[in-house]
Amino acid sequence: MHARFETPLATLEPGLWAALAPILAEPSFNGMLSARQVMALMKAGGLDEDGLCLALLPLAAACALAPVSHFNVGAIARGIGGNLYFGANMEFPGVPLSQTVHAEQSAINHAWLRGEQRLRGITVNYTPCGHCRQFMNELNSGVDIMIHLPGRAPATLAHYLPDAFGPRDLSIQSLLMDRVNHGYSLAKELLSPDTTPLRGGLSVETAQGGTSEVSCVTAAHSSTPEASCVTAAKTAPPMNGLSADDPLLQQALQAANQSHAPYSRAHSGVALQLADGRIFAGRYAENAAFNPSLPPLQSALILLNITGGDCRDIRRAVLVERDAVALSQWDATCATLRALGCGEIHRRTLEG
């Protein structure tokens, strides 16, 4: 069992504790409870779904990473099939607060990445802020999604966000959590036979720009943003350790093809690999109000964290995104990954 669950687990009613402890102790526990597990826990604790979700909130909040605010928020998203998905806020020292993840975003994104197609409700231990209310309004559940808070009667998002502005006002047909496949493939890299790999204990960050590729070299696992950049001819993927069939690259591509970016069309995905070889991929989730959009890196970090991984254990990362569109995730992705100590960051572009 992950150490973060030990204290909140001990506060549960004995029947619920006895049923939940073996689930949390499973090495495969990933922050999700299946509908069958939920039914068993409700029976063991003598609780309905609302009561169970409220009882589980301290365990979700225990997943928070809040070194800036020291304020842990937990959320539990409820899928249409009865599954429950943990979420928690995440903060990253050394980067702007705009890179922060809210607990409601975390739980919703977690459900989305697990294949959930629609949410019935979300339980949170504190009132959702305006940012999160707007983020929820992008969902295919719309303003009908139910919000559950301790000590308050359940209410719809429409209650918490009256006169809402969202994708429907812009005639957007594809909503967040709708199943999509954009059909992109990876753009082919140009081979430059006279280019040699950069070595000597340094990491390589690659970003395409026009007809050349920019390589930013930083000390491995450094949190400093300084980098020396040189422009060289585009290199084939094997030059910088990222072949076309690399699972890291393929998972980032799949994430980009499932991303939600109906406003900018800047679809993107990120994949992160830990020292133990595990890979976590995340998708861009754009919002009609723009600012509540969830970057693909944060999407991947949510899954990594909620599964029990360590964000400072990332060894390789790749961003896959469209080129020649209104925005790029590259600079923000690099800044946050550098702050987390990742020493190898790549960028590839999409075509199609």
PDB file of all heavy atoms in Angstrom, residues 179-191:
ATOM      1  N   ARG A 179     -15.651  10.304 -27.558  1.00  0.00           N
ATOM      2  CA  ARG A 179     -14.607   9.445 -28.130  1.00  0.00           C
ATOM      3  C   ARG A 179     -14.248   9.941 -29.526  1.00  0.00           C
ATOM      4  O   ARG A 179     -15.122  10.080 -30.388  1.00  0.00           O
ATOM      5  CB  ARG A 179     -15.086   7.993 -28.176  1.00  0.00           C
ATOM      6  CG  ARG A 179     -14.004   7.003 -28.581  1.00  0.00           C
ATOM      7  CD  ARG A 179     -14.370   5.607 -28.160  1.00  0.00           C
ATOM      8  NE  ARG A 179     -14.321   5.451 -26.711  1.00  0.00           N
ATOM      9  CZ  ARG A 179     -14.609   4.312 -26.078  1.00  0.00           C
ATOM     10  NH1 ARG A 179     -14.986   3.252 -26.764  1.00  0.00           N
ATOM     11  NH2 ARG A 179     -14.524   4.235 -24.768  1.00  0.00           N
ATOM     12  N   VAL A 180     -12.965  10.228 -29.763  1.00  0.00           N
ATOM     13  CA  VAL A 180     -12.508  10.750 -31.045  1.00  0.00           C
ATOM     14  C   VAL A 180     -11.216  10.062 -31.468  1.00  0.00           C
ATOM     15  O   VAL A 180     -10.500   9.482 -30.649  1.00  0.00           O
ATOM     16  CB  VAL A 180     -12.256  12.281 -30.993  1.00  0.00           C
ATOM     17  CG1 VAL A 180     -13.539  13.037 -30.696  1.00  0.00           C
ATOM     18  CG2 VAL A 180     -11.185  12.622 -29.956  1.00  0.00           C
ATOM     19  N   ASN A 181     -10.922  10.154 -32.748  1.00  0.00           N
ATOM     20  CA  ASN A 181      -9.620   9.751 -33.292  1.00  0.00           C
ATOM     21  C   ASN A 181      -9.348  10.689 -34.456  1.00  0.00           C
ATOM     22  O   ASN A 181      -9.984  10.609 -35.497  1.00  0.00           O
ATOM     23  CB  ASN A 181      -9.627   8.303 -33.756  1.00  0.00           C
ATOM     24  CG  ASN A 181      -8.251   7.852 -34.239  1.00  0.00           C
ATOM     25  OD1 ASN A 181      -7.353   8.675 -34.452  1.00  0.00           O
ATOM     26  ND2 ASN A 181      -8.078   6.559 -34.411  1.00  0.00           N
ATOM     27  N   HIS A 182      -8.396  11.593 -34.268  1.00  0.00           N
ATOM     28  CA  HIS A 182      -8.127  12.617 -35.270  1.00  0.00           C
ATOM     29  C   HIS A 182      -7.362  12.083 -36.482  1.00  0.00           C
ATOM     30  O   HIS A 182      -7.277  12.770 -37.502  1.00  0.00           O
ATOM     31  CB  HIS A 182      -7.365  13.782 -34.632  1.00  0.00           C
ATOM     32  CG  HIS A 182      -8.097  14.405 -33.476  1.00  0.00           C
ATOM     33  ND1 HIS A 182      -9.340  14.978 -33.605  1.00  0.00           N
ATOM     34  CD2 HIS A 182      -7.751  14.520 -32.166  1.00  0.00           C
ATOM     35  CE1 HIS A 182      -9.734  15.439 -32.427  1.00  0.00           C
ATOM     36  NE2 HIS A 182      -8.792  15.163 -31.536  1.00  0.00           N
ATOM     37  N   GLY A 183      -6.787  10.901 -36.373  1.00  0.00           N
ATOM     38  CA  GLY A 183      -6.146  10.277 -37.517  1.00  0.00           C
ATOM     39  C   GLY A 183      -4.802  10.841 -37.907  1.00  0.00           C
ATOM     40  O   GLY A 183      -4.339  10.648 -39.040  1.00  0.00           O
ATOM     41  N   TYR A 184      -4.101  11.496 -36.980  1.00  0.00           N
ATOM     42  CA  TYR A 184      -2.780  12.040 -37.295  1.00  0.00           C
ATOM     43  C   TYR A 184      -1.736  10.921 -37.352  1.00  0.00           C
ATOM     44  O   TYR A 184      -1.876   9.880 -36.702  1.00  0.00           O
ATOM     45  CB  TYR A 184      -2.336  13.042 -36.230  1.00  0.00           C
ATOM     46  CG  TYR A 184      -3.144  14.309 -36.166  1.00  0.00           C
ATOM     47  CD1 TYR A 184      -3.899  14.612 -35.036  1.00  0.00           C
ATOM     48  CD2 TYR A 184      -3.146  15.212 -37.218  1.00  0.00           C
ATOM     49  CE1 TYR A 184      -4.643  15.775 -34.956  1.00  0.00           C
ATOM     50  CE2 TYR A 184      -3.879  16.386 -37.146  1.00  0.00           C
ATOM     51  CZ  TYR A 184      -4.626  16.663 -36.022  1.00  0.00           C
ATOM     52  OH  TYR A 184      -5.361  17.816 -35.943  1.00  0.00           O
ATOM     53  N   SER A 185      -0.690  11.178 -38.101  1.00  0.00           N
ATOM     54  CA  SER A 185       0.507  10.342 -38.077  1.00  0.00           C
ATOM     55  C   SER A 185       1.692  11.250 -37.771  1.00  0.00           C
ATOM     56  O   SER A 185       1.564  12.481 -37.753  1.00  0.00           O
ATOM     57  CB  SER A 185       0.696   9.625 -39.411  1.00  0.00           C
ATOM     58  OG  SER A 185       0.798  10.568 -40.470  1.00  0.00           O
ATOM     59  N   LEU A 186       2.837  10.655 -37.531  1.00  0.00           N
ATOM     60  CA  LEU A 186       4.030  11.444 -37.231  1.00  0.00           C
ATOM     61  C   LEU A 186       4.628  12.004 -38.508  1.00  0.00           C
ATOM     62  O   LEU A 186       4.751  11.295 -39.510  1.00  0.00           O
ATOM     63  CB  LEU A 186       5.070  10.587 -36.508  1.00  0.00           C
ATOM     64  CG  LEU A 186       4.675  10.104 -35.110  1.00  0.00           C
ATOM     65  CD1 LEU A 186       5.651   9.048 -34.641  1.00  0.00           C
ATOM     66  CD2 LEU A 186       4.631  11.277 -34.138  1.00  0.00           C
ATOM     67  N   ALA A 187       5.000  13.279 -38.474  1.00  0.00           N
ATOM     68  CA  ALA A 187       5.683  13.887 -39.612  1.00  0.00           C
ATOM     69  C   ALA A 187       7.046  13.222 -39.779  1.00  0.00           C
ATOM     70  O   ALA A 187       7.722  12.902 -38.806  1.00  0.00           O
ATOM     71  CB  ALA A 187       5.835  15.387 -39.399  1.00  0.00           C
ATOM     72  N   LYS A 188       7.440  13.020 -41.017  1.00  0.00           N
ATOM     73  CA  LYS A 188       8.711  12.348 -41.276  1.00  0.00           C
ATOM     74  C   LYS A 188       9.865  13.315 -41.065  1.00  0.00           C
ATOM     75  O   LYS A 188       9.871  14.435 -41.556  1.00  0.00           O
ATOM     76  CB  LYS A 188       8.729  11.789 -42.702  1.00  0.00           C
ATOM     77  CG  LYS A 188       7.722  10.668 -42.909  1.00  0.00           C
ATOM     78  CD  LYS A 188       7.745  10.171 -44.331  1.00  0.00           C
ATOM     79  CE  LYS A 188       6.819   8.969 -44.487  1.00  0.00           C
ATOM     80  NZ  LYS A 188       5.432   9.300 -44.110  1.00  0.00           N
ATOM     81  N   GLU A 189      10.871  12.855 -40.334  1.00  0.00           N
ATOM     82  CA  GLU A 189      12.060  13.659 -40.078  1.00  0.00           C
ATOM     83  C   GLU A 189      13.027  13.542 -41.262  1.00  0.00           C
ATOM     84  O   GLU A 189      13.088  12.517 -41.931  1.00  0.00           O
ATOM     85  CB  GLU A 189      12.764  13.188 -38.804  1.00  0.00           C
ATOM     86  CG  GLU A 189      11.871  13.171 -37.582  1.00  0.00           C
ATOM     87  CD  GLU A 189      11.502  14.559 -37.119  1.00  0.00           C
ATOM     88  OE1 GLU A 189      12.228  15.510 -37.454  1.00  0.00           O
ATOM     89  OE2 GLU A 189      10.485  14.692 -36.428  1.00  0.00           O
ATOM     90  N   LEU A 190      13.814  14.591 -41.464  1.00  0.00           N
ATOM     91  CA  LEU A 190      14.819  14.576 -42.526  1.00  0.00           C
ATOM     92  C   LEU A 190      16.154  14.128 -41.964  1.00  0.00           C
ATOM     93  O   LEU A 190      16.568  14.569 -40.901  1.00  0.00           O
ATOM     94  CB  LEU A 190      14.964  15.972 -43.139  1.00  0.00           C
ATOM     95  CG  LEU A 190      13.701  16.535 -43.799  1.00  0.00           C
ATOM     96  CD1 LEU A 190      13.985  17.928 -44.330  1.00  0.00           C
ATOM     97  CD2 LEU A 190      13.223  15.624 -44.916  1.00  0.00           C
ATOM     98  N   LEU A 191      16.804  13.241 -42.674  1.00  0.00           N
ATOM     99  CA  LEU A 191      18.078  12.709 -42.210  1.00  0.00           C
ATOM    100  C   LEU A 191      19.223  13.633 -42.612  1.00  0.00           C
ATOM    101  O   LEU A 191      19.327  14.071 -43.739  1.00  0.00           O
ATOM    102  CB  LEU A 191      18.318  11.316 -42.805  1.00  0.00           C
ATOM    103  CG  LEU A 191      19.661  10.665 -42.475  1.00  0.00           C
ATOM    104  CD1 LEU A 191      19.757  10.420 -40.974  1.00  0.00           C
ATOM    105  CD2 LEU A 191      19.830   9.362 -43.242  1.00  0.00           C
TER     106      LEU A 191
END
